[in-house]
Amino acid sequence: MMAESEPGFGLVVAGHVDHGKSTLIGRLLYELDALPPEARARVEAASTRRGRPLEWAFLLDAFQAERDQGVTIDSSRVRFHHDGQSYRIIDAPGHREFITNMVAGAADADAALLLVDAADGVREQTRRHASLLHLLGLSQIIVVVNKMDLVNHDQSRFAAIADEVRSYLGELGLTPLTVVPVAAATGANVTQPAATLAWHHGDTVLSALARLTAKPSLADQPFRLPVQHVYRVGERRLLAGRVTSGKIKRGDPVVLSPSNRLSAVAAVETWPPETSPAEAMAGQSIALELTDDLFVERGEVVSHEADAPMETNVFAARLVWLGQRPLEAGDGLTIKLGTARHPVIVEAVRARIDPDTLARDAGGIVSRHGIAEVLLRTPAMAVVEMAGGPPALARFVLLDGFDVVAGGTVDMHDYPDQRLSITRRSSNLTPVLHKVTADMRVRQKGHQGGVLWFTGLSGSGKSTLAIALEQALFRRGYHVYVLDGDNVRAGLNSNLGFTPEDRAENIRRVGEVAALFADAGEIVISAFISPYRADRERARQAAGSRFHEVHLSTDVTVCEERDPKGLYARARRGEIADFTGISAPYEAPDSAELVLDTASASIDHCLETLVEYVTTRFRLDSRSD
């Protein structure tokens, strides 16, 4: 579904069915003398057979089914050259049933022509296509108000439509480059100003095209090679695939994602082998031989280490749902990212977006052709890019069995790049064995060491309970210490901010420190929002069986009413970015060892529950009863 980018300026022509997209393209090619004689002859013959005047739409309606039904089914591509620029016109189907092909066409474009019929005005598919163009990251849009001949070239009609389209695009955050009145059937204002539209002193379609700016070349973007196949040739292992962006040359150090293994390029191979170059760039299909004989599978991504793609097992996304059955939270599907396929769970439908009004609701079930913001989670690490980055990994499709049921873009604004948390940079390490064993420490202290990991929203009572529990346990003879978020950030983690990546690193460090305390026989109470499930899971892995997750499940409404540090109020005023529960996500635990709600239970009751939990699970005399 997601086409690979091709050379030339990609121009998708979108809009409601029968608003004249194919006619405009045919007329444009005809006036630029870009049609071979045989193509014009085919159009003339087709028009004559149907008893119509010359019908330029037949030029692109390549399929017999389209001619029979009078609709454009596939996304046709036509090339032409003008004034030193090469263009690829992508004629995207306007019919609602073929919206999949429209998305496929638009995904490969640099800019869009959005057509509106002067007589029909802005219709449902006009708005839907505009929303999809926005979803796919297209910002350069030329609005063409076509069929002005059907409204007697009425200037006021054009002005009303132009205002409506500008208003709608403005709500999407888009500003059209220009709005052009056109009669594609007669050629008015396609390449030359027309006397019938003399009141229009702006662009023709052709002059508007000259004002478009091409996206940065894929060759100038970071190097990406999603591995399609791995071949064993003699003693050589070759990683084959298409360079989707950037450049690579022999000797370059590279990293494989998501396995995070490092190597270097021993050879760049193409076919035939005697023409193999020393380097390759975006658009070329190549094979790489690495200096290390690594086991690599289809789906891994080769890149330079300095600008590697992101890795995550959870991310937000915007998608258009194409499946016959509705989409809802909990659905299990397959996601295709580059050449990789992963099982994926739709963890939440965060919002549904009405393409007509752009109104957002709180989620629920997404019907066919619906646009939604969702949260996706994969069991293993996936390789992604932010929308606007190298496109091969920024866009995805969802599969239900073998059927494509959605296309969308990745949004990692709220989530950290987990590569930073799982990459080990140290090597040649030898563990030091202690003469004082864990059992000796336990017998000396009279209780097990462990980590009580408090997680919950700001204001849920983590610090209050942690301090109270530390005091209560200390009085009972326990060796106990509190690691509090504010205290740790004043020292150990004072170099970290509050971006998703910094918050993940903050928790990684705290998790490792807490595990060391627990290994020394201490009971560590950590009080951190720790919003991401993956970060808490890494802290659990660090401490092993000594880790006990305590979820303070107090609702955000209650926490905001308390607002003990005034942080919610500042976040609401926009003074704090990425504030958990307001403008950043909080992922509640699936199966915490203990759940407490300070909205429904008093602090004293929660403290009593915690003391009993520790007494039951940590004391040696209790465990031996």
Side-chain angles (χ1 to χ4, degrees):
M1 179 177 156
M2 297 294 176
E4 300 288 357
S5 292
E6 302 170 5
F9 196 101
L11 188 66
V12 64
V13 185
H16 195 83
V17 64
D18 202 31
H19 279 199
K21 297 185 296 298
S22 297
T23 301
L24 174 67
I25 296 169
R27 189 79 200 194
L28 180 66
L29 296 176
Y30 168 70
E31 296 196 5
L32 292 177
D33 198 22
L35 292 178
E38 58 273 19
R40 179 182 173 112
R42 285 199 300 271
V43 174
E44 291 174 341
S47 302
T48 299
R49 284 198 300 274
R50 289 158 179 78
R52 299 180 183 177
L54 200 58
E55 182 59 72
W56 292 110
F58 290 148
L59 181 69
L60 299 180
D61 291 347
F63 298 109
Q64 185 61 43
E66 294 178 75
R67 295 179 181 175
D68 292 342
Q69 299 177 29
V71 295
T72 303
I73 294 175
D74 202 354
S75 174
S76 304
R77 293 165 189 252
V78 179
R79 292 180 179 276
F80 73 96
H81 300 269
H82 178 70
D83 199 22
Q85 175 66 55
S86 174
Y87 294 89
R88 289 177 292 114
I89 285 186
I90 305 157
D91 177 27
H95 198 279
R96 183 186 178 99
E97 294 303 313
F98 305 126
I99 202 165
T100 308
N101 295 337
M102 182 270 160
V103 173
D108 195 28
D110 299 272
L113 290 177
L114 180 64
L115 261 70
V116 183
D117 186 309
D120 273 3
V122 176
R123 301 288 295 277
E124 176 191 355
Q125 284 300 86
T126 314
R127 289 186 282 267
R128 189 177 298 273
H129 279 200
S131 298
L132 293 173
L133 296 175
H134 174 60
L135 185 152
L136 293 167
L138 285 177
S139 58
Q140 297 188 91
I141 298 177
I142 298 170
V143 177
V144 178
V145 181
N146 190 23
K147 303 186 183 181
M148 288 298 299
D149 49 326
L150 299 186
V151 296
N152 297 319
H153 307 94
D154 184 351
Q155 182 178 2
S156 61
R157 177 63 178 163
F158 168 75
I161 292 175
D163 286 347
E164 184 178 358
V165 175
R166 287 183 192 278
S167 175
Y168 184 81
L169 292 177
E171 292 182 50
L172 289 170
L174 298 173
T175 302
L177 184 69
T178 184
V179 183
V180 185
V182 159
T186 64
N189 234 18
V190 175
T191 62
Q192 298 293 328
T196 51
L197 298 168
W199 45 264
H200 176 69
H201 303 292
D203 286 295
T204 64
V205 173
L206 186 61
S207 68
L209 293 183
R211 296 170 53 197
L212 294 171
T213 304
K215 291 189 296 188
S217 165
L218 285 175
D220 293 330
Q221 297 188 29
F223 170 71
R224 301 287 184 265
L225 176 76
V227 175
Q228 292 181 340
H229 300 286
V230 179
Y231 297 105
R232 193 80 183 183
V233 181
E235 297 300 316
R236 306 173 69 200
R237 192 191 302 271
L238 298 177
L239 314 183
R242 188 178 189 204
V243 182
T244 56
S245 62
K247 303 172 184 173
I248 191 74
K249 65 179 184 299
R250 189 184 309 138
D252 280 359
V254 295
V255 61
L256 292 156
S257 302
S259 62
N260 289 330
R261 290 168 298 174
L262 302 176
S263 188
V265 176
V268 178
E269 302 283 356
T270 59
W271 185 263
E274 57 269 20
T275 64
S276 293
E279 63 179 6
M281 65 175 60
Q284 288 185 270
S285 293
I286 64 171
L288 293 180
E289 181 185 7
L290 304 182
T291 54
D292 302 275
D293 189 22
L294 304 177
F295 176 74
V296 179
E297 296 180 282
R298 175 186 171 91
E300 289 225 54
V301 178
V302 188
S303 72
H304 292 118
E305 186 183 14
D307 50 15
M310 305 174 85
E311 295 179 350
T312 186
N313 66 343
V314 57
F315 60 90
R318 268 196 169 195
L319 59 78
V320 54
W321 179 248
L322 307 169
Q324 295 288 343
R325 65 173 179 81
L327 172 73
E328 56 186 320
D331 280 352
L333 301 165
T334 299
I335 188 169
K336 184 173 183 298
L337 279 159
T339 56
R341 296 188 182 207
H342 304 277
V344 66
I345 295 292
V346 181
E347 190 156 288
V349 177
R350 288 178 156 184
R352 294 180 300 182
I353 302 170
D354 186 324
D356 288 337
T357 64
L358 298 182
R360 298 160 55 92
D361 64 23
I365 294 176
V366 183
S367 302
R368 192 173 189 220
H369 299 144
I371 299 172
E373 292 178 358
V374 300
L375 187 66
L376 302 176
R377 188 179 295 273
T378 57
M381 207 60 68
V383 185
V384 301
E385 309 269 13
M386 281 291 291
L393 301 169
R395 298 164 176 166
F396 64 84
V397 296
L398 295 179
L399 305 173
D400 188 1
F402 295 103
D403 298 329
V404 173
V405 290
T409 52
V410 174
D411 180 359
M412 286 287 289
H413 280 106
D414 289 340
Y415 288 90
D417 178 2
Q418 296 188 43
R419 175 190 297 277
L420 304 176
S421 300
I422 61 177
T423 299
R424 290 182 180 272
R425 298 188 182 281
S426 302
S427 58
N428 301 319
L429 301 178
T430 303
V432 174
L433 299 178
H434 294 270
K435 297 294 185 183
V436 179
T437 66
D439 285 345
M440 293 166 66
R441 296 180 195 277
V442 168
R443 286 195 298 273
Q444 181 195 55
K445 291 181 168 58
H447 62 79
Q448 303 281 344
V451 177
L452 289 164
W453 189 279
F454 287 14
T455 177
L457 296 171
S458 177
S460 60
K462 297 184 300 300
S463 294
T464 301
L465 273 174
I467 296 300
L469 179 61
E470 180 188 41
Q471 189 176 28
L473 294 179
F474 184 82
R475 286 173 177 165
R476 288 167 171 77
Y478 288 89
H479 295 249
V480 57
Y481 191 78
V482 169
L483 290 174
D484 182 78
D486 286 353
N487 295 348
V488 171
R489 278 186 174 273
L492 175 67
N493 293 345
S494 60
N495 64 324
L496 299 177
F498 289 90
T499 64
E501 285 74 21
D502 279 355
R503 301 186 78 168
E505 174 61 12
N506 180 50
I507 298 305
R508 188 194 68 80
R509 293 183 191 178
V510 172
E512 294 293 339
V513 170
L516 289 175
F517 267 86
D519 193 48
E522 297 284 321
I523 295 176
V524 186
I525 307 169
S526 68
F528 293 82
I529 296 173
S530 47
Y532 304 118
R533 200 176 297 162
D535 294 340
R536 298 195 300 268
E537 187 57 32
R538 274 189 281 275
R540 181 185 291 274
Q541 291 172 4
S545 60
R546 297 189 181 104
F547 188 90
H548 303 258
E549 191 171 36
V550 180
H551 179 206
L552 300 191
S553 62
T554 311
D555 186 77
V556 66
T557 305
V558 175
C559 294
E560 188 167 1
E561 288 172 356
R562 294 173 177 167
D563 204 8
K565 301 176 183 176
L567 299 178
Y568 283 97
R570 292 180 60 196
R572 292 292 186 191
R573 292 196 298 269
E575 296 173 7
I576 302 177
D578 300 324
F579 190 81
T580 301
I582 301 297
S583 53
Y586 175 76
E587 299 178 359
D590 279 336
S591 54
E593 277 76 7
L594 187 61
V595 179
L596 299 171
D597 184 354
T598 58
S600 58
S602 67
I603 292 296
D604 286 345
H605 177 79
C606 293
L607 181 59
E608 185 179 339
T609 303
L610 284 164
V611 170
E612 181 183 356
Y613 182 88
V614 171
T615 303
T616 303
R617 289 167 174 78
F618 287 73
R619 283 191 67 88
L620 288 184
D621 51 1
S622 297
R623 294 168 68 87
S624 61
D625 289 343

